[in-house]
Amino acid sequence: MSANILTVDDSASIRMTTKIALTNAGYQVTEAVDGLDGLNKAKSASFDLIVTDLNMPNMNGLAMIEALRKSPAHTGIPIIFLTTESDADIKSRAKAAGATGWITKPFDSEQLVKIARKVLGR
């Protein structure tokens, strides 16, 4: 059974790159354009993994993760940050908020798929 993955990024090119990489690996991908859109989509459907950017308009990735982790339905879903940030303070805030992993942009499609497989166990 293929996993459902929600990707949240305000960059259309990043959304396209992640979607291509993940669908080629056999996953179903739903896209969101910012944290608010991501939060609404995560609440209206079931996802096995969420891949999110940090810096976005309307709601950033950190605020989205914090909001999702308050919902019992979303406490166990792995969330991976895909961001240009490599700041240790932001990484620790992301971990505290409930992020599972971290990929720094620019990223390698194979690296993304490898991490997805690892956290999903498939």
Side-chain angles (χ1 to χ4, degrees):
M1 189 186 112
S2 102
N4 284 328
I5 300 176
L6 174 64
T7 62
V8 187
D9 203 301
D10 57 323
S11 160
S13 61
I14 296 288
R15 283 197 311 273
M16 191 166 50
T17 307
T18 53
K19 183 171 188 161
I20 290 168
L22 295 167
T23 49
N24 284 348
Y27 299 115
Q28 296 292 318
V29 177
T30 300
E31 298 174 274
V33 296
D34 60 40
L36 201 57
D37 187 30
L39 185 61
N40 292 331
K41 285 184 174 160
K43 287 183 172 180
S44 65
S46 174
F47 294 99
D48 302 297
L49 170 64
I50 297 171
V51 179
T52 183
D53 187 16
L54 177 60
N55 301 307
M56 296 178 287
N58 300 320
M59 178 187 269
N60 70 29
L62 209 52
M64 184 190 78
I65 290 177
E66 288 166 348
L68 284 172
R69 291 304 190 213
K70 286 178 187 151
S71 156
H74 299 94
T75 51
I77 300 170
I79 301 175
I80 296 171
F81 256 127
L82 185 61
T83 179
T84 53
E85 294 285 347
S86 56
D87 186 284
D89 178 52
I90 293 175
K91 279 187 180 178
S92 63
R93 281 178 56 204
K95 269 209 177 347
T100 313
W102 193 277
I103 301 174
T104 307
K105 293 178 193 170
F107 68 97
D108 178 277
S109 296
E110 286 178 22
Q111 178 193 19
L112 175 65
V113 170
K114 199 181 291 181
I115 289 174
R117 284 197 177 117
K118 186 178 173 187
V119 297
L120 291 165
R122 55 184 166 195

